[in-house]
Amino acid sequence: MPFALLVIFTTVLPALAGPFEDAIAKFADDDYSSTEEAVGLIATSGNPLAFAIISALQDGRLMADPDTKKIYVTQADGKIIDAATGAAVASIPDSAAAVRINNHLRRAVDAALGGLTLSSPDPDKRIQAAQSVFKTHDEAMLPLIDNALKKETNRDAKQALTVARAAILLFKADATEEQKLDAVATIRSRGDQEALAMLADVPSDAPPAVAHAAAGAISAIQQRLALWSVVQNAWYGLSLGSVLLLAAIGLAITFGVMGVINMAHGEMVMIGAYVTFVVQQTIRTSYAGLAEYSLLIAVPAAFIVAGAIGILIERTIIRFLYGRPLETLLATWGLSLVLQQAVRTMFGPTNQEVANPSWMSGAFQLGQISITYNRLWILCFTLAVFAILLAMLRYTALGLEMRAVTQNRRMAASMGIATSRVDALTFGLGSGIAGIAGVALSQIDNVSPNLGQSYIIDSFMVVVFGGVGNLWGTLVGAFTLGIANKFLEPVAGAVLGKIAILVLIILFIQKRPRGLFAMKGRAVEA
């Protein structure tokens, strides 16, 4: 009887070990090919320990004992388990050593982990896993992909799995021609650079029909990507145009109403950016719970601070220089240098960090273009400021007075409008809007004493091109110059592109000296 039991244990138990246990034992061979084979078998075994084992191999936490042929996993919390059974182990034998992997094996491990993540409850992780399989197109992952496709209910994840399956079949040696043609069509529908690169790697010995279909798909994807490139440039142009509009809209008011060439306008933008920095630093140190709302708090603060400084400048400097444009230009240019040096003295010459709140961080894909949230919010913010300013000019007493002074200063004064007060408030309004522009620009540009200098010339170009004093002209001019600049940059380069824009504006002004939308009305002073 004991002999019979011994025979049963020595013959039946190995048979019960199964393919998973056999695969685990291969790690003890200390051979790269055996390890790769073990990874493939474990990844497709469906065993709940598979992910933990392959993750441990990737991180150097998988230990093999050559004497007993046992494999151990050191878990993230420091506990040790037997890889074959999952049972807890007190310690790893001294003779055990980490299972070695090379670069080739790392790619196999990454693909295996990607395949195992296909069963994650998180749809985003399943999509990432499918994309990983798409890149590696490992044949061993085909059963896992097929199994995941049967269970998948999320539309985006199902699409990613379908494309990953097509990538595997396209390079699978024993796949039928019909399967390969379907795979080419599926990858073509993805239509991005990765799909283009994959179709370009189709083997030279592929069937003629498959090679022809791949060539046609490559041509179609290239045409589609060229179209999306145009859309991407248009978005970049709108983004740049919104920045130019935000920086120029305050200048359009002061220049249009007062006829003042304010070379310190860029420094109002800079002051708004530094107000944002101060507000954010104050909130970080004293009111950490308001960190997400720091930008919303900085907007009115920047408007008030920059607006107050603007009124002070108008009352102390500008009011004595009306009708003397050259002296005004020189005075405001000197003032800009003074303001820059004052900021350098207070905050230092280096860039200051202004963090993006979570709702302005990251990006999302729209077709084949990437749209960042900070640029999108700035565009929406700019249009909101523009709409509010239009409403203020149309429906408030100050707006009516500003429009009257713009059209005919002498007639407005004769009707009892205090033009001196309107000038001060107008200059303050333009400076306050420039301060708001600084809040927005702090999210996409360096906050430094030279921030305003980057936008002052472009702002003047926008105002002159659109029509002095016309807000709609400023809007059209900003977006036109922004889009034109972004389409010229890939062809001529950034510097030559700006030069070309400047030359075109000069030629345009020769034909239409008052810009796109010239101011209309009876002007006694004309």
Side-chain angles (χ1 to χ4, degrees), residues 71-126:
I71 310 300
Y72 304 94
V73 173
T74 302
Q75 296 178 309
D77 57 3
K79 295 180 180 179
I80 303 166
I81 62 170
D82 186 315
T85 64
V89 177
S91 62
I92 298 175
D94 295 336
S95 57
V99 179
R100 300 179 301 148
I101 59 174
N102 56 16
N103 289 334
H104 177 73
L105 263 174
R106 284 189 182 91
R107 288 192 291 271
V109 168
D110 290 341
L113 288 175
L116 289 169
T117 314
L118 293 171
S119 58
S120 170
D122 186 351
D124 290 336
K125 289 186 177 180
R126 297 200 299 273

Side-chain angles (χ1 to χ4, degrees), residues 226-525:
L227 180 60
W228 278 111
S229 177
V230 172
V231 176
Q232 182 77 77
N233 283 334
W235 162 249
Y236 287 151
L238 287 174
S239 176
L240 175 60
S242 67
V243 172
L244 293 178
L245 176 61
L246 205 54
I249 194 170
L251 188 64
I253 295 172
T254 55
F255 196 18
V257 175
M258 306 167 65
V260 172
I261 303 175
N262 180 19
M263 295 301 293
H265 182 78
E267 277 53 56
M268 299 299 106
V269 175
M270 174 197 68
I271 288 171
Y274 273 97
V275 169
T276 308
F277 168 72
V278 172
V279 167
Q280 196 170 88
Q281 289 298 108
T282 304
I283 288 176
R284 279 179 178 174
T285 55
S286 304
Y287 309 98
L290 297 175
E292 283 296 297
Y293 308 101
S294 61
L295 278 188
L296 300 179
I297 297 170
V299 169
F303 180 83
I304 292 170
V305 172
I309 293 174
I311 292 175
L312 181 63
I313 292 171
E314 196 279 335
R315 292 285 86 183
T316 57
I317 299 175
I318 303 297
R319 65 178 297 190
F320 301 107
L321 300 174
Y322 288 129
R324 297 155 64 186
L326 181 60
E327 286 88 339
T328 305
L329 187 150
L330 290 174
T332 54
W333 177 66
L335 179 62
S336 73
L337 298 179
V338 171
L339 292 173
Q340 288 180 47
Q341 190 57 47
V343 167
R344 285 191 182 92
T345 303
M346 294 174 63
F347 298 98
T350 57
N351 297 340
Q352 301 296 338
E353 179 190 359
V354 176
N356 289 352
S358 61
W359 46 274
M360 286 188 72
S361 302
F364 66 94
Q365 290 293 127
L366 180 64
Q368 297 300 321
I369 67 172
S370 177
I371 297 178
T372 55
Y373 285 110
N374 57 357
R375 294 276 183 175
L376 181 60
W377 276 112
I378 288 174
L379 176 60
C380 296
F381 178 69
T382 301
L383 295 177
V385 170
F386 182 81
I388 292 170
L389 188 57
L390 279 180
M392 189 276 293
L393 290 175
R394 185 174 180 85
Y395 299 111
T396 66
L398 176 60
L400 179 62
E401 291 175 350
M402 286 174 58
R403 285 186 287 133
V405 173
T406 300
Q407 291 184 18
N408 195 312
R409 177 177 290 270
R410 290 181 183 175
M411 182 63 73
S414 68
M415 295 297 293
I417 294 175
T419 57
S420 178
R421 180 182 65 87
V422 171
D423 287 339
L425 293 178
T426 300
F427 204 89
L429 177 63
S431 298
I433 294 173
I436 292 177
V439 178
L441 292 176
S442 70
Q443 300 300 295
I444 59 174
D445 207 340
N446 296 323
V447 177
S448 71
N450 299 320
L451 174 64
Q453 295 297 305
S454 305
Y455 296 97
I456 185 65
I457 301 301
D458 288 337
S459 297
F460 273 109
M461 284 200 300
V462 167
V463 172
V464 172
F465 176 65
V468 176
N470 191 301
L471 292 185
W472 283 107
T474 305
L475 175 74
V476 174
F479 285 121
T480 300
L481 293 182
I483 292 173
N485 193 67
K486 286 302 176 183
F487 276 98
L488 280 173
E489 273 185 9
V491 179
V495 176
L496 288 178
K498 278 192 174 293
I499 293 173
I501 292 291
L502 182 58
V503 170
L504 290 173
I505 290 177
I506 292 172
L507 295 175
F508 177 81
I509 295 301
Q510 295 296 315
K511 193 73 175 174
R512 291 180 65 94
R514 296 192 177 186
L516 280 173
F517 300 92
M519 293 294 293
K520 296 179 181 179
R522 284 189 244 173
V524 175
E525 304 158 313

Side-chain angles (χ1 to χ4, degrees), residues 51 55 110-134 145 148 152 154 156-158 160-161 164:
F51 188 85
S55 296
D110 290 341
L113 288 175
L116 289 169
T117 314
L118 293 171
S119 58
S120 170
D122 186 351
D124 290 336
K125 289 186 177 180
R126 297 200 299 273
I127 292 172
Q128 291 174 4
Q131 290 172 345
S132 177
V133 175
F134 173 80
I145 291 288
E152 189 57 67
N154 182 276
D156 293 335
K158 194 164 190 174
L161 288 167

